[in-house]
């Protein structure tokens, strides 16, 4: 199972997303054929690239087999929040499409 943790903090009465961590493997199929792993990976990597290239925020990245952690090191801006909300929307779509056996999404306040 892939476990995703979305890191949030309170800022002036609203929550800001400041990063995310993904670990594990979906286990749906063999490596290279696992549609759930592929879908989550595309969302995670596209979001990380978009944070830097579209939202223009700096990120700290840790990556290894079955693990990715992204942390915004600048002050989050409106564009970064929109991109991260879009990633969450995509993850919820996977969950709603029979993905509950292969994906878990948690929210953690830091």
């Amino acid at each position: 199972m892939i476990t995703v943790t979305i890191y949030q903090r309170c800022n002036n009465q609203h929550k800001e997303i400041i990063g995310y961590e993904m670990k594990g493997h979906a286990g749906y199929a063999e490596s290279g054929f696992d549609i759930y792993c592929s879908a989550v990976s595309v969302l995670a990597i596209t979001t990380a690239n978009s944070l830097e290239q579209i939202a223009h925020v700096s990120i700290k990245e840790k990556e290894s087999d079955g693990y990715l952690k992204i942390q915004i090191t600048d002050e989050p801006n409106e564009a970064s929040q929109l991109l991260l909300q879009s990633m969450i929307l995509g993850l919820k779509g996977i969950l709603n499409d029979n993905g509950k056996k292969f994906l878990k999404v948690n929210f953690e306040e830091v």
Side-chain angles (χ1 to χ4, degrees), residues 8-110:
Q8 302 175 316
R9 70 175 179 204
C10 267
N11 186 13
N12 296 327
Q13 307 266 330
H14 73 280
K15 291 184 180 180
E16 286 181 324
I17 303 166
I18 58 169
Y20 55 93
E21 180 178 41
M22 299 184 173
K23 51 184 158 181
H25 294 281
Y28 175 75
E30 292 179 37
S31 180
F33 298 95
D34 192 322
I35 59 173
Y36 290 101
C37 191
S38 296
V40 171
S41 294
V42 165
L43 285 170
I45 299 204
T46 299
T47 301
N49 291 337
S50 296
L51 286 168
E52 290 184 308
Q53 296 176 23
I54 296 172
H56 304 290
V57 293
S58 296
I59 61 170
K60 181 179 177 183
E61 180 178 341
K62 288 185 184 177
E63 185 179 359
S64 62
D65 183 42
Y67 181 82
L68 176 67
K69 184 173 185 178
I70 300 295
Q71 179 182 355
I72 296 175
T73 56
D74 292 338
E75 195 60 34
N77 59 30
E78 188 175 336
S80 70
Q81 296 306 287
L82 182 63
L83 291 166
L84 290 160
Q85 289 292 340
S86 180
M87 181 188 74
I88 292 167
L89 181 65
L91 292 169
K92 288 180 179 179
I94 294 168
L95 284 170
N96 292 334
D97 188 31
N98 298 317
K100 291 179 182 171
K101 296 181 214 171
F102 310 105
L103 175 64
K104 182 177 182 180
V105 179
N106 302 310
F107 292 84
E108 185 177 312
E109 201 160 321
V110 293

